[in-house]
Amino acid sequence: MKALLPRGDAAQIGRKRRFVLEVKNNNIKTLLIMSFHSSIGDNEELFSLRNKLFSELSHFFSSAKLEGVKNCAIKLQEVLPIQSSLEQNKVLVAYGGGKDSSYMLTFVRLVQLILFKWNGETFQIRVVTNRHAGMPTSVIENIHRVYCALQLYDDPDVELLLIDGNKISLFDRYLPLPHNIVSQNRQDILMTGHRTQASSRPTFCNACNISMVNSFGIASYYDGGVDVIITGDSRKEQRAYMVWVNRLVQKISPDLLPSGHGFRDFLKNLDIISQSYFQEIYGDKANHEIEEHRIINNDINLDPLFFSIYNYTEYSAGNHWELLTKYLGFEFDELAFSFSESDCANPALMAHLRGLKCEHVYGRSYAEGIEEYVKFAISLMRQKQFPEFLIDQITQRYSTAELITLMRKKINDFAFEAFGITEEQLICMVYAPFSEKGRNLETYLLKEQPKLLSNLHNIHQVLDRGEKEKTSQQSSDIASNLYCISGLTLEQLRICYDSPLLGFNDKNAKLELVNLILERDPHKGIIETRHSPGGPTIYEMISGR
C-alpha cells in the first residue's frame, strides 16, 4: 500500500524542522507546531486526502463494524476535555507493533478521521512505541509499513514517538537501540533466570512489563501531556488490575496508607512494586539496578482519562485479516511471530529454554522439551482466539526433527545478536547453579563443565568471599571462567550465591514477589512431563507466552 501523502524531501524537511525546534526551545516549539497545524489543517489537499483514506479504510469494515467506529467516535468526543476546539485535545496510543495493536491503532485512526469528517477538525494522536532488545527488526518494519498505510508520518495531528528506557525520541526506523537498553535487558534476563531456574515469565516478561508501564508515564506527561489514554482493555479488566496492584502494594508495605485511584497514584504504586521486585532479584545493596528500573511519577501533574475501545470492536486477527496483511502490510515474521506474540521473539527463547532444560537437566531430548512447550503455548494461542491457520504455522515450524534443529540455530543466533547470550550461558541458566549457596553447582559442573569440577571447593570459596580480598591468579581465573559460561560478573554471581532460588513451592514462596506476580498471571499452565528419561509422569507448572 503506497502512502497517500508524498514521502519525498519536503515531508522529511517538515519533520526535521519540527525536531530542531523541539531541541532548541520547548515554548517556541509548541507555538510553531500549533501554527503549522493550523495552516495545514485548513488545506483542501489534506481534507481530500483524509477523506480518501477514510473511504479506503471503510472498505475493510462491515456496516456493523463501522457503526462501532461511529459510536466510539461519539463517546470519545463527549469525554474530550476541550469541547470548543477538538484539535487541542491529545490522545495517547501505545503501539507495540503486533497484530492487535496494529488493528487498535487503525481503529483509533478511523475514529480520528470520522470526527474530522463530521467537524472539519479532530483530536491529535500521540503514538508511542516502547522498545526492548527482544523486538526483531521486522517489528519496526511492520510499524513503518502501518504508519505509511495509515498516512501518519506527515499528518499534523499525529505524533510518532519511540521510548528507550527513560529517553524519548521521534520515531525513526533506523535509530539503533541504545547500548544501555540492550545491556539492561541482558542483565535482567540473566539475573532473573539464575534466580528462578529460567522460569519463562519472570525471566523475560516481568522487567519488560514494568518498562512498558514506565513508558506510559513518560509518554503521558511529555511535552504538555495528553488528555486521554486509549486502551483495549475492558473497564472490568482495568479495575481488576488496579485492585491487584493496590493489594500487592499492601503486601509489600502493610503500613502504607491506601492511595487514590488516579493515574499518578497507579504509577506510584507500580514504582513501589518495581523497587521491591528488583531488590528481590539484585539484592538489597543493588541501588543502581533498582534506580534504573524505577517508574517515573514525580513530574506527572496531569491525570489523563482512560478510554476503552473494548465495547466498540473486536480484536480477532481472523476478522480483519485482509486489512491487516493487504492494506497495512503487516507481515508475520518467523521470529517476531512467536507463539502468542506477534511483536517479540522472546517466546521462541522460552521454548528453547524448555528444550535445553529437558535435554540437560532432565536427561531427555531437546525435541521432547520443545514438544511440551509447543503444546502449552498453542493452548494459550487458542485462549487468545488466534486463527487456526496461524496456529498451524507454529505447529508446522516445529513439526519435524530437522525443523526443530533449524529453529534451535535461529533462536541461538537471535539470542546472541539481540542480547549477547550464548547457548552455553542459557544451559547454565536452566541449572541456576550459583543461587542458594550453589545448591545445584556440583550437579551442573559434573554434567556440563567436568574440567572445572576439581575446582568446586575453590569456586565456593570465591563466591562465598571465603578468601581474603586479594587478587590471586586463581580467583581471577575462576571469575573469568564463570563469566564465560554464565555471562555474569563475579559480583552478580555472588549476589546469586547469597540469595535463595525464587518461584518454588517452599515455606517462603508466598512472601516472594516473583510468586505473587506469577500467581495472578494467566499465562501459565500445568503440563505432563518427566524429570528423567525413564521416570514417572509428573505434573509441572510452566509459564510463557
Side-chain angles (χ1 to χ4, degrees):
M1 174 61 199
K2 293 182 179 179
L4 295 176
L5 285 177
R7 303 293 306 130
D9 294 339
Q12 295 302 317
I13 290 170
R15 292 180 66 210
K16 289 176 182 176
R17 183 175 62 186
R18 294 173 71 190
F19 179 72
V20 169
L21 288 171
E22 179 179 350
V23 171
K24 286 183 177 178
N25 187 312
N26 190 57
N27 293 328
I28 293 175
K29 177 206 70 171
T30 305
L31 291 172
L32 288 182
I33 287 181
M34 287 177 65
S35 172
F36 181 67
H37 161 84
S38 299
S39 63
I40 294 184
D42 296 332
N43 190 290
E44 290 183 6
E45 182 184 8
L46 181 63
F47 186 89
S48 172
L49 290 172
R50 279 182 172 175
N51 281 338
K52 183 181 178 185
L53 176 60
F54 176 79
S55 176
E56 289 183 1
L57 287 173
S58 298
H59 286 306
F60 295 93
F61 287 73
S62 66
S63 298
K65 289 178 181 177
L66 276 177
E67 195 64 27
V69 176
K70 292 174 184 177
N71 291 335
C72 183
I74 291 168
K75 188 62 179 177
L76 180 58
Q77 183 170 353
E78 287 176 359
V79 303
L80 292 174
I82 308 174
Q83 291 286 311
S84 59
S85 180
L86 289 184
E87 66 186 27
Q88 292 185 46
N89 297 282
K90 185 174 289 187
V91 308
L92 174 65
V93 178
Y95 182 32
K99 62 177 180 59
D100 291 339
S101 62
S102 294
Y103 175 72
M104 176 174 161
L105 178 60
T106 304
F107 187 88
V108 176
R109 177 61 161 160
L110 203 48
V111 170
Q112 184 193 37
L113 293 174
I114 203 169
L115 284 181
F116 181 74
K117 194 177 179 69
W118 291 345
N119 300 288
E121 62 171 350
T122 191
F123 59 85
Q124 299 173 57
I125 301 178
R126 172 176 290 173
V127 189
V128 60
T129 298
N130 185 53
R131 292 197 296 178
H132 58 86
M135 295 172 70
T137 306
S138 56
V139 176
I140 299 298
E141 291 304 313
N142 267 339
I143 291 173
H144 169 66
R145 283 190 292 271
V146 170
Y147 284 173
C148 287
L150 296 179
Q151 193 44 55
L152 299 181
Y153 277 116
D154 304 298
D155 195 310
D157 286 320
V158 177
E159 186 179 22
L160 308 175
L161 301 176
L162 284 175
I163 293 184
D164 301 316
N166 292 331
K167 181 182 177 183
I168 194 161
S169 312
L170 293 181
F171 179 83
D172 179 352
R173 65 182 171 132
Y174 299 115
L175 187 69
L177 190 64
H179 174 73
N180 68 301
I181 300 301
V182 176
S183 177
Q184 186 182 90
N185 292 167
R186 177 183 188 273
Q187 182 174 269
D188 288 338
I189 289 170
L190 289 173
M191 282 296 290
T192 310
H194 274 273
R195 295 296 311 284
T196 65
Q197 209 163 349
S199 178
S200 290
R201 286 286 281 169
T203 299
F204 291 100
C205 301
N206 287 354
C208 191
N209 289 340
I210 288 170
S211 171
M212 182 183 66
V213 172
N214 185 51
S215 74
F216 269 63
I218 293 172
S220 69
Y221 79 79
Y222 168 74
D223 191 24
V226 298
D227 303 293
V228 176
I229 296 176
I230 305 288
T231 175
D233 295 333
S234 68
R235 288 186 177 181
K236 181 180 178 181
E237 289 170 324
Q238 292 175 56
R239 281 195 298 268
Y241 189 61
M242 287 285 287
V243 168
W244 176 77
V245 166
N246 290 337
R247 286 177 179 170
L248 192 54
V249 168
Q250 286 299 306
K251 289 180 180 180
I252 295 168
S253 305
D255 298 330
L256 192 69
L257 292 175
S259 65
H261 300 288
F263 183 53
R264 184 174 180 179
D265 297 307
F266 172 73
L267 292 177
K268 283 184 175 180
N269 281 337
L270 260 298
D271 185 43
I272 292 170
I273 294 171
S274 175
Q275 290 182 69
S276 299
Y277 176 78
F278 288 105
Q279 185 179 60
E280 185 172 276
I281 298 297
Y282 286 99
D284 296 340
K285 297 178 182 178
N287 295 329
H288 175 70
E289 287 80 4
I290 294 168
E291 190 66 27
E292 275 189 329
H293 291 88
R294 290 204 61 173
I295 292 176
I296 292 176
N297 60 78
N298 292 333
D299 298 326
I300 297 178
N301 298 316
L302 304 172
D303 201 10
L305 171 76
F306 275 76
F307 181 87
S308 174
I309 66 170
Y310 179 83
N311 291 325
Y312 302 103
T313 189
E314 51 188 27
Y315 281 91
S316 176
N319 291 332
H320 45 261
W321 186 253
E322 293 220 345
L323 168 68
L324 195 63
T325 58
K326 292 187 178 179
Y327 191 85
L328 298 180
F330 190 93
E331 295 180 3
F332 286 83
D333 173 77
E334 195 169 40
L335 282 175
F337 173 40
S338 187
F339 298 102
S340 65
E341 294 295 300
S342 54
D343 56 8
C344 177
N346 286 346
L349 260 172
M350 298 175 191
H352 183 45
L353 283 170
R354 185 66 194 178
L356 293 176
K357 179 172 278 191
C358 279
E359 182 179 49
H360 292 269
V361 178
Y362 300 156
R364 295 161 60 206
S365 71
Y366 178 84
E368 285 176 298
I370 292 294
E371 183 182 347
E372 289 177 355
Y373 191 90
V374 169
K375 185 177 179 181
F376 158 75
I378 283 177
S379 72
L380 290 182
M381 293 177 75
R382 290 207 164 96
Q383 288 174 30
K384 289 173 175 278
Q385 298 182 324
F386 269 70
E388 281 299 319
F389 56 83
L390 287 180
I391 294 175
D392 290 342
Q393 280 190 36
I394 295 294
T395 305
Q396 177 62 30
R397 193 179 296 173
Y398 294 96
S399 60
T400 68
E402 292 77 12
L403 288 172
I404 289 173
T405 300
L406 180 62
M407 275 305 297
R408 181 174 185 168
K409 181 183 184 310
K410 286 182 178 180
I411 205 61
N412 270 328
D413 290 344
F414 171 76
F416 187 73
E417 290 167 9
F419 302 107
I421 299 176
T422 65
E423 183 173 278
E424 182 180 43
Q425 291 165 351
L426 293 173
I427 292 168
C428 182
M429 191 164 72
V430 298
Y431 281 93
F434 308 107
S435 293
E436 211 164 285
K437 297 296 181 182
R439 189 173 86 174
N440 299 326
L441 182 57
E442 185 172 6
T443 301
Y444 167 68
L445 294 180
L446 183 65
K447 287 186 174 182
E448 308 296 339
Q449 304 291 341
K451 291 181 180 178
L452 295 178
L453 189 58
S454 60
N455 266 329
L456 178 62
H457 175 71
N458 292 330
I459 292 172
H460 275 289
Q461 272 203 327
V462 170
L463 295 179
D464 203 22
R465 299 175 175 85
E467 291 189 351
K468 291 182 179 179
E469 292 298 327
K470 60 181 182 179
T471 330
S472 70
Q473 187 61 48
Q474 186 180 43
S475 296
S476 179
D477 289 345
I478 286 173
S480 178
N481 284 330
L482 295 184
Y483 178 78
C484 287
I485 63 178
S486 70
L488 296 174
T489 66
L490 181 56
E491 186 55 37
Q492 291 168 340
L493 289 165
R494 284 173 170 171
I495 291 169
C496 290
Y497 194 81
D498 292 338
S499 305
L501 280 165
L502 301 171
F504 294 88
N505 294 319
D506 58 28
K507 61 182 179 180
N508 296 317
K510 290 184 179 179
L511 304 176
E512 297 169 357
L513 258 178
V514 164
N515 267 344
L516 290 173
I517 292 171
L518 195 58
E519 183 179 51
R520 183 187 177 275
D521 196 329
H523 304 99
K524 61 182 185 294
I526 304 295
I527 65 165
E528 290 185 358
T529 186
R530 289 176 290 115
H531 286 183
S532 61
T537 297
I538 62 170
Y539 297 95
E540 179 183 345
M541 187 190 78
I542 66 171
S543 62
R545 288 303 294 260

